[in-house]
Amino acid sequence: MEKKKLLEVKDLKVSFFTPSGEVKAVGGISYDLNYGEVMGIVGESGSGKSVEAYSIMGLLQSPGKVTGGTVLFEGENILDYDKKKMIDFRGNRASMIFQNPMTSLNPVYTVGNQLIEALTAHQKISREDAKKKAMEMLELVGINSVEKRMKQYPHEFSGGMRQRVMIAMGLICSPKLLIADEPTTALDVTIQAQILELMKDLQKKTDMAIIFITHNLGVVAEICDKVSVMYAGHIVEQGSVDEIFYNPNIHIPLDYFVLCLELMQNLMSV
C-alpha cells in the first residue's frame, strides 16, 4: 500500500539580498516526504540545508527571502500562510529542534515553565493539564525526577539533557512533522547514540515524519529511510539509504558547472 504524502517541496528557491547583491542560497530544490517517513538532508556547511528548513518553518530572517517554488503540507501551500496561521502551523502541525539547545532554551525561565508555555500557546488546555503533559513528555524522553527537573533552569542540565528537553518541547503538541537541525552535533559520541536511539523510538511510537538535517552519513544510515544530498544550494542526489550508500548517482546542476568554469577562467586570468 502506497503511503500518502505529508510534505511536497517543489522548486524551492531562497536568496539573501545583501548590499553587494543577491546571494542564491537554495537554487530550486524538490522532494516529497510521506507520513511516518524519516528523510535525511545531508551536505557540507553552507550547502543550504538549514536555510531550506527555516523557509519551511517560516523562520527565515531578513535579508533572506523565498523567491520561488511551493511547499505543500497536506495539500496546502504554507508559503501563503499569514503570520497567525504560520504560528499555529509551527506549533501544532510541525516543530523544529535546533542545533544548540543552550541558545534555544530561555535561561531565565524554568524548563517546566517553557514546556507548559509551548503547550498552552498552541492548544486549549488548562495550565494544570499542561503541567501533567509536560512531565509525561520529560519522562518519555528519558529524564528522571521530573518533579524536581520541572523547577530547574537550563544551566542546571547537561548538554545531553538539554537536548532531550528540546526534543520534549518539539513533541509536546504531537506534530505530524519534526525537523531536526543537526541535533546531535554538539554532543559527545555516547550521548549522540542515546539521542538517536530516543528519536528512532519516539518516531515509531508517534508515527510522525522527520526531516533530519546533518553532515554525518553515519547518522543517516542509523535513522533515515531516504536521503537528499545537497551541494551549493542544490539537491545533487536523492534516493533510499541503500541507493545512496551502495549505488550513488550524483547529478551536478548545469548552472553549478557554469559557475565553476567562470571561477577557473577568472583564476587563470589573474
Side-chain angles (χ1 to χ4, degrees):
M1 184 178 176
E2 188 177 345
K3 285 190 174 183
K4 288 180 65 178
K5 290 178 183 177
L6 173 66
L7 180 72
E8 296 176 73
V9 177
K10 298 180 179 179
D11 198 30
L12 180 65
K13 297 176 182 177
V14 183
S15 292
F16 287 84
F17 294 89
T18 72
S20 302
E22 180 183 359
V23 178
K24 294 180 180 179
V26 177
I29 65 171
S30 301
Y31 61 82
D32 298 335
L33 185 66
N34 297 326
Y35 286 88
E37 197 169 44
V38 182
M39 185 179 76
I41 297 182
V42 300
E44 65 184 9
S45 298
S47 61
K49 307 186 300 297
S50 296
V51 170
E52 68 94 12
Y54 290 167
S55 302
I56 292 171
M57 296 298 293
L59 296 171
L60 194 64
Q61 298 293 310
S62 180
K65 186 178 180 181
V66 176
T67 58
T70 59
V71 179
L72 302 179
F73 188 92
E74 296 184 313
E76 296 182 358
N77 185 11
I78 58 178
L79 297 180
D80 292 337
Y81 284 0
D82 59 23
K83 187 176 180 180
K84 183 180 178 183
K85 203 167 182 181
M86 179 54 78
I87 290 172
D88 180 66
F89 165 78
R90 208 157 43 222
N92 282 324
R93 301 165 69 195
S95 189
M96 189 165 180
I97 302 170
F98 298 94
Q99 184 171 343
N100 190 338
M102 197 58 204
T103 56
S104 302
L105 293 168
N106 193 321
V108 300
Y109 289 99
T110 64
V111 162
N113 275 334
Q114 293 183 62
L115 286 166
I116 291 168
E117 182 68 24
L119 191 56
T120 55
H122 298 290
Q123 296 184 1
K124 293 180 180 179
I125 186 173
S126 70
R127 193 167 180 86
E128 191 60 37
D129 288 339
K131 182 180 177 181
K132 290 178 184 176
K133 181 74 179 289
M135 291 170 67
E136 289 172 4
M137 289 307 303
L138 288 180
E139 287 179 344
L140 186 64
V141 298
I143 293 178
N144 298 319
S145 306
V146 290
E147 284 273 10
K148 175 185 173 184
R149 289 297 195 177
M150 288 279 287
K151 299 172 184 175
Q152 291 182 328
Y153 292 85
H155 73 269
E156 297 179 86
F157 288 68
S158 67
M161 285 296 180
R162 285 196 293 266
Q163 197 59 280
R164 288 170 186 265
V165 171
M166 285 303 301
I167 293 171
M169 193 172 291
L171 299 178
I172 200 164
C173 292
S174 303
K176 295 178 181 178
L177 171 66
L178 178 69
I179 299 177
D181 185 10
E182 303 200 40
T184 62
T185 300
L187 307 176
D188 63 55
V189 177
T190 306
I191 304 300
Q192 276 190 34
Q194 291 176 6
I195 296 295
L196 288 175
E197 194 61 37
L198 170 65
M199 293 189 71
K200 281 170 62 179
D201 186 48
L202 292 174
Q203 191 273 332
K204 289 175 183 175
K205 287 179 180 177
T206 60
D207 198 37
M208 67 181 170
I210 298 177
I211 295 176
F212 203 98
I213 299 170
T214 183
H215 56 259
N216 188 328
L217 289 174
V219 169
V220 171
E222 181 73 20
I223 197 172
C224 298
D225 300 309
K226 61 184 184 182
V227 193
S228 293
V229 182
M230 287 193 71
Y231 187 75
H234 295 87
I235 290 179
V236 296
E237 189 174 11
Q238 207 166 54
S240 69
V241 170
D242 286 344
E243 288 170 344
I244 299 300
F245 275 74
Y246 303 112
N247 188 26
N249 187 20
I250 295 177
H251 301 280
I252 304 295
L254 180 60
D255 57 352
Y256 180 69
F257 271 123
V258 172
L259 177 62
C260 288
L261 287 171
E262 289 176 353
L263 289 172
M264 288 175 67
Q265 288 171 349
N266 292 336
L267 288 170
M268 291 173 68
S269 64
V270 172

